[in-house]
Amino acid sequence: PGECVYCPLEFNMPKSYLSDEPAAQRAKNLNFDPVAQVKQRLEQLSQNGHSTDKLEIIVIGGTFSAYPDDYKVEFITKIYEACNGSTWEESGVPSTVPGGTDIWTRLEGAQLKNETAKQRIVALSVETRPDWVSLDEVRLIRRLGVTKIQLGVQAIDREIARLTKRGHGAKEVAEATRLLRNAGMKICYHLMPNLPGSNPEKDIEMSRLIYSDRRFKPDYVKIYPCMVIAGTELYRMWQKGEHQTYSDEELKCVLKEISALTPPWVRVDRLVRDISRKWVAAGTVRTNFRQVVEAELIKEGRPCRCIRCREVGGRK
């Protein structure tokens, strides 16, 4: 539903996602069928030697809250059923009760069965916008079994929001965070440096505020530097000289300062988005920026202290 100037809109794809990004590509190849996606992913993980007895399901793409409630319930129910090994239809149980389709009974049955299934869902994440988070929506996602929300925050500056047509600001982010935190959700902010109206100093200062102000303080962050994608309104602004992207050196300095600011109770889930360079007209195409940033911070004696960087796993 958003009108953000930087979001690509590829035909037959969810807004802001491109058809050659790994998860999006898999979804499109399988006609966005939740059962087929889960089954294929489980098979891939198993073939690669991963245990699949405990699963985190991540539902990405567009604004989850903007879909019709019946569709949301059906989609999530089918994910549980795929992990359980059979859908309601395959089990032979009628999917209707007197008065119509009982979608909630079907969901709760699948959730109950999943508690003892071979592949148990222990975490469930969906993605939405702060201005779509309401009390009713929080109640709904709790019933779905959602444990983590990825919020498209991007920036909390009024001028940036105006120039990018984002449609929300700090007030909506703070209210969404309050509702979700009170409901026991883990909260991930998507942050986007290098937007129109910003500059390196402003990007760093916004991150400092997000990490220190009690209205915000997310559990996770994903940091996606803005890229200019052909066909977007931002692309036209860039062509006219109304927007200029940071050089890789400038961007590296911004990402280093944000990483150095990150508190030890935050996990940086991702640094730089995995978009194929064929789409990018301006902005960084380096996908290993995190590796570069972390190595330089360690050399400077101020390593990133986020949860991921301090994990025991993978170390000697």
Side-chain angles (χ1 to χ4, degrees):
E3 299 177 354
C4 319
V5 299
Y6 44 81
C7 279
L9 186 56
E10 186 184 350
F11 181 67
N12 272 345
M13 290 301 297
K15 195 165 194 175
S16 85
Y17 282 87
L18 297 163
S19 57
D20 59 355
E21 293 180 83
Q25 186 178 61
R26 181 167 52 249
K28 186 175 183 179
N29 289 343
L30 298 171
N31 200 29
F32 300 96
D33 183 315
V35 175
Q37 289 182 72
V38 168
K39 286 183 175 179
Q40 187 181 95
R41 196 74 182 112
L42 287 172
E43 186 180 345
Q44 289 170 339
L45 289 167
S46 182
Q47 287 177 354
N48 285 330
H50 292 287
S51 172
T52 60
D53 58 333
K54 293 167 74 176
L55 305 170
E56 178 178 9
I57 303 291
I58 303 173
V59 181
I60 61 169
T63 301
F64 182 79
S65 306
Y67 292 112
D69 286 355
D70 285 0
Y71 174 75
K72 286 184 274 195
V73 177
E74 179 191 4
F75 193 90
I76 299 298
T77 299
K78 286 183 175 179
I79 289 173
Y80 282 104
E81 290 178 342
C83 293
N84 292 342
S86 67
T87 65
W88 188 295
E89 291 84 0
E90 290 168 340
S91 68
V93 179
S95 60
T96 59
V97 294
T101 303
D102 190 356
I103 57 174
W104 288 108
T105 297
R106 178 173 176 175
L107 170 69
E108 288 159 9
Q111 289 172 329
L112 189 64
K113 185 175 180 181
N114 188 252
E115 291 180 10
T116 53
K118 287 183 179 179
Q119 278 131 357
R120 289 176 297 126
I121 298 173
V122 299
L124 177 59
S125 170
V126 299
E127 184 176 333
T128 194
R129 287 168 54 106
D131 52 343
W132 277 78
V133 176
S134 64
L135 194 56
D136 285 343
E137 180 67 8
V138 172
R139 288 187 176 122
L140 174 70
I141 59 176
R142 277 293 302 261
R143 288 190 72 182
L144 294 176
V146 172
T147 60
K148 175 181 172 183
I149 296 286
Q150 299 193 45
L151 280 180
V153 171
Q154 321 309 3
I156 54 169
D157 178 86
R158 188 184 301 273
E159 180 63 9
I160 294 173
R162 184 187 71 80
L163 289 170
T164 60
K165 300 182 182 178
R166 181 62 187 171
H168 64 74
K171 180 182 175 184
E172 290 81 6
V173 174
E175 178 61 9
T177 303
R178 184 186 71 83
L179 288 169
L180 293 167
R181 182 158 289 141
N182 287 349
M185 296 287 166
K186 292 179 179 179
I187 301 168
C188 177
Y189 282 7
H190 291 193
L191 303 177
M192 194 174 282
N194 199 13
L195 285 168
S198 194
N199 56 58
E201 294 74 23
K202 187 181 282 190
D203 285 337
I204 295 165
E205 195 50 45
M206 280 191 291
S207 296
R208 193 190 309 277
L209 183 64
I210 282 168
Y211 287 146
S212 61
D213 191 313
R214 62 185 299 176
R215 294 175 298 162
F216 308 117
K217 293 193 172 186
D219 304 293
Y220 304 73
V221 292
K222 286 184 176 180
I223 303 171
Y224 294 144
C226 183
M227 298 175 182
V228 178
I229 309 296
T232 61
E233 191 174 340
L234 182 62
Y235 178 73
R236 292 186 285 276
M237 292 166 64
W238 172 74
Q239 284 183 312
K240 294 175 186 174
E242 295 169 3
H243 174 64
Q244 187 173 352
T245 58
Y246 303 162
S247 68
D248 274 9
E249 191 61 32
E250 284 178 305
L251 181 59
K252 182 178 72 174
C253 291
V254 171
L255 296 179
K256 280 172 64 177
E257 293 310 311
I258 294 174
S259 296
L261 280 170
T262 303
W265 42 264
V266 171
R267 180 185 179 94
V268 179
D269 260 1
R270 184 170 291 181
L271 197 65
V272 181
R273 189 159 157 194
D274 189 15
I275 291 180
S276 170
R277 67 174 59 215
K278 74 177 184 182
W279 301 98
V280 182
T284 189
V285 291
R286 292 185 68 175
T287 54
N288 71 327
F289 238 127
R290 183 173 196 151
Q291 183 182 15
V292 173
V293 165
E294 288 176 1
E296 289 199 10
L297 285 174
I298 289 169
K299 278 185 181 178
E300 293 170 12
R302 49 181 193 138
C304 176
R305 299 174 299 145
C306 90
I307 291 171
R308 181 169 175 176
C309 288
R310 292 183 293 109
E311 277 182 339
V312 174
R315 299 186 187 185
K316 292 182 181 178

